[in-house]
Amino acid sequence: MEVVLFMLISARYVVPITSPPLKNASIVVEGRDIVAFGPTVKLKRSFPHHKVLDLGHLILMPGLLNLHTHLDYTVFKDLIEGLAFTPWIMKLVRLGLRLKREDWEASALLGALRAIQSGTTTVVDSSRSDSSLKAISHCGLRGIVCGEVFGLNGRRSSQTVQEALARLLGWRSRANPDLIQVGISPHAPYTVSGQLYQEVSRRADEYDFPVALHLAESADEYQFIRHGGGRLARGLMVLAGWSRLSWQPPAVSPVKYLEQWGILGKRVLAAHCVYVDDSDLEILHKYDVAIAHCPRSNAQLGNGIAPLAEFHQRGLRVGLGTDSLASNYSLDMFDEMRAGLWLQRGMTRQVEGLSAETFLRMATIEGARAIGMEDKIGSIAGGKRADLIGVDLSHIPSFSNLYAALIFNTNPGNVVFSMINGQIVMEKGQLKGIDGDEIVKRADRARRKLTKVRQDNE
């Protein structure tokens, strides 16, 4: 990857996000940082010795943040279709047993590659293994990589977290601290005991780990936590070998359950939050929990549509996530913005307050705010990291609303430039320092194992 020391990057438009778009503008990058942006003519006079990279008709904007991914499930794309949440997750677990370590690593690499190609520069990823850490590091992405922990046996909580700590501290020692944070992910209320949540919370505070988790995603989860039993108890509990455990449902909502065990707080990023009522929203607001809103995954599994307007009304920090390709069809955040906007307009039967700019902010500055990184990324401003993408919308003759033009007309092929931390990772649509063909070949080998399993079972 090319290291840029002093550069002036010019484009037809610069979209800072937190201020109005500028035409015929430039961004000055020194090392990993943005030092200035403004009219190109003015900046060329102020920085006469900087190398000029003229992106021509491109639209230059901050890189996108994907707040909920499982990159190592990328090769599962299209393989689990037409199933509701519980049978879907059961099939996902069964298929995953067929993959070896090198397969998971190949899958995660393909996910990191697809993220970059569609304009993402930062991901929040959850994984059992270090496959995502390796992939994110290899491809030069910025990210929070969270190691998943599971366990409904509360008596083993201390041991479970101790084992996770050894793993996560090893990850932290290998990660580039300027690009990657290591966090912990207590998976979900139906796979994590209250005692384990409690222990994770204590250790996350002690070791300064971000916390990512699934919360209130499905009706089956709500049934399991509120009343016990249901499809999750009959299916996943047996599949995971937990059928012998004595599960006493707490008879509260999943959000209240997590509050009771002390896991909620500012460092927590909760994915989904579809099945929440007013009381739950007050709890999330009270503890300043951030939300990764995943509209396409929620819709794909028939889980519903999260109450985004209520999130915003309560001032919750909300960003967007794609989830994995086991429950979505791309890691394209522009597609996520489009679908999210249309679903909300359709559900609420309103257009006011649901603008393209709102969703673009969720994929940039609001996403950065959700993970406590708004001082570094998410918008174009002096002193922030140079995480930038260039979008080619030359196929549109003209547009009156730049935000709408970006959301409704951008596909992965239109993202042709990407810079992360001051390093160019893609230029003119060509990857720099990443062998995309080799990554695809490795991932195809892993995917063939899964397609063979599916064919054998049909």
Side-chain angles (χ1 to χ4, degrees):
M1 299 178 189
E2 181 182 350
V3 178
V4 177
L5 297 179
F6 299 99
M7 179 170 284
L8 187 149
I9 309 172
S10 62
R12 180 187 179 192
Y13 286 100
V14 168
V15 182
I17 300 296
T18 51
S19 59
L22 300 173
K23 193 171 184 179
N24 299 321
S26 294
I27 300 172
V28 178
V29 174
E30 295 184 357
R32 65 183 185 182
D33 296 328
I34 297 168
V35 298
F37 72 98
T40 297
V41 172
K42 179 180 178 182
L43 290 180
K44 282 185 175 180
R45 288 198 301 264
S46 300
F47 298 90
H49 302 298
H50 283 53
K51 176 183 176 182
V52 176
L53 176 60
D54 186 355
L55 298 182
H57 56 264
L58 297 190
I59 299 169
L60 196 55
M61 60 178 286
L64 306 177
L65 289 84
N66 188 339
L67 295 197
H68 185 55
T69 66
H70 303 274
L71 295 178
D72 53 357
Y73 280 106
T74 300
V75 297
F76 287 71
K77 180 182 177 182
D78 304 332
L79 294 181
I80 313 177
E81 164 57 23
L83 294 179
F85 181 75
T86 295
W88 167 82
I89 201 168
M90 291 174 63
K91 187 169 184 179
L92 181 66
V93 172
R94 286 195 295 266
L95 282 175
L97 295 175
R98 301 299 183 108
L99 298 184
K100 296 181 179 180
R101 182 180 182 86
E102 60 267 24
D103 301 319
W104 292 109
E105 291 179 357
S107 186
L109 273 169
L110 182 62
L113 176 70
R114 296 298 184 234
I116 290 172
Q117 290 174 322
S118 56
T120 293
T121 55
T122 298
V123 298
V124 180
D125 190 88
S126 297
S127 173
R128 285 194 181 192
S129 74
D130 64 353
S131 56
S132 290
L133 173 64
K134 289 181 176 179
I136 290 168
S137 299
H138 178 79
C139 293
L141 279 164
R142 189 181 303 280
I144 300 175
V145 183
C146 299
E148 290 181 320
V149 293
F150 301 79
L152 281 176
N153 187 344
R155 289 174 295 183
R156 292 195 74 254
S157 298
S158 180
Q159 180 181 347
T160 298
V161 173
Q162 202 60 42
E163 292 169 354
L165 278 176
R167 178 168 42 112
L168 298 181
L169 292 175
W171 293 8
R172 180 180 278 180
S173 70
R174 291 154 42 202
N176 176 355
D178 197 33
L179 282 173
I180 299 173
Q181 297 179 56
V182 171
I184 190 166
S185 177
H187 176 255
Y190 53 89
T191 56
V192 176
S193 70
Q195 294 91 334
L196 183 52
Y197 276 125
Q198 193 173 50
E199 188 69 13
V200 166
S201 179
R202 184 174 72 85
R203 293 309 188 111
D205 288 341
E206 181 180 353
Y207 288 94
D208 194 28
F209 284 138
V211 177
L213 48 82
H214 301 78
L215 180 59
E217 181 177 4
S218 69
D220 289 352
E221 174 190 334
Y222 189 91
Q223 169 73 12
F224 181 73
I225 300 301
R226 186 94 191 192
H227 305 294
R231 289 193 293 184
L232 272 172
R234 294 191 301 270
L236 185 60
M237 297 303 102
V238 174
L239 185 65
W242 296 334
S243 57
R244 295 184 300 275
L245 295 177
S246 177
W247 169 251
Q248 298 298 322
V252 295
S253 71
V255 172
K256 184 65 177 176
Y257 175 56
L258 266 60
E259 182 193 29
Q260 290 176 345
W261 288 100
I263 186 68
L264 299 181
K266 186 178 178 66
R267 68 170 70 248
V268 173
L269 176 67
H272 303 295
C273 295
V274 178
Y275 286 82
V276 291
D277 58 21
D278 287 342
S279 176
D280 295 326
L281 292 172
E282 287 303 316
I283 291 171
L284 295 173
H285 177 264
K286 174 183 176 181
Y287 293 95
D288 195 15
V289 174
I291 296 174
H293 176 44
C294 305
R296 284 189 296 162
S297 176
N298 296 336
Q300 171 71 9
L301 297 177
N303 284 332
I305 303 173
L308 182 64
E310 285 83 352
F311 296 163
H312 286 155
Q313 287 169 8
R314 285 170 171 80
L316 295 173
R317 293 174 293 133
V318 186
L320 290 171
T322 60
D323 212 326
S324 77
L325 292 197
S327 62
N328 205 335
Y329 278 79
S330 77
L331 297 174
D332 179 6
M333 289 294 292
F334 285 103
D335 206 5
E336 202 68 43
M337 287 184 264
R338 274 192 294 276
L341 177 56
W342 287 333
L343 284 169
Q344 289 295 320
R345 286 179 175 179
M347 179 183 72
T348 63
R349 300 184 181 182
Q350 294 181 356
V351 175
E352 294 79 8
L354 292 167
S355 68
E357 182 180 359
T358 297
F359 277 79
L360 197 61
R361 288 179 63 90
M362 288 171 60
T364 52
I365 189 61
E366 297 303 329
R369 186 170 289 119
I371 58 174
M373 296 181 68
E374 68 272 22
D375 61 328
K376 292 183 178 180
I377 57 175
S379 66
I380 294 172
K384 288 199 171 186
R385 299 291 188 264
D387 289 8
L388 308 168
I389 61 172
V391 179
D392 181 359
L393 292 187
S394 58
H395 59 290
I396 305 175
S398 63
F399 40 80
S400 57
N401 184 321
L402 187 51
Y403 302 114
L406 282 165
I407 286 185
F408 296 131
N409 295 282
T410 301
N411 295 298
N414 302 120
V415 180
V416 296
F417 176 82
S418 180
M419 170 182 281
I420 304 173
N421 215 41
Q423 295 188 1
I424 296 175
V425 298
M426 185 168 66
E427 188 173 6
K428 296 181 180 179
Q430 301 299 310
L431 297 164
K432 301 281 189 178
I434 304 171
D435 189 341
D437 291 340
E438 178 59 27
I439 289 174
V440 170
K441 287 179 184 177
R442 289 182 58 188
D444 281 347
R445 288 195 291 269
R447 183 177 171 82
R448 282 196 292 271
K449 294 182 180 180
L450 298 177
T451 54
K452 184 179 187 303
V453 171
R454 188 177 67 172
Q455 291 166 358
D456 292 344
N457 291 335
E458 289 177 349

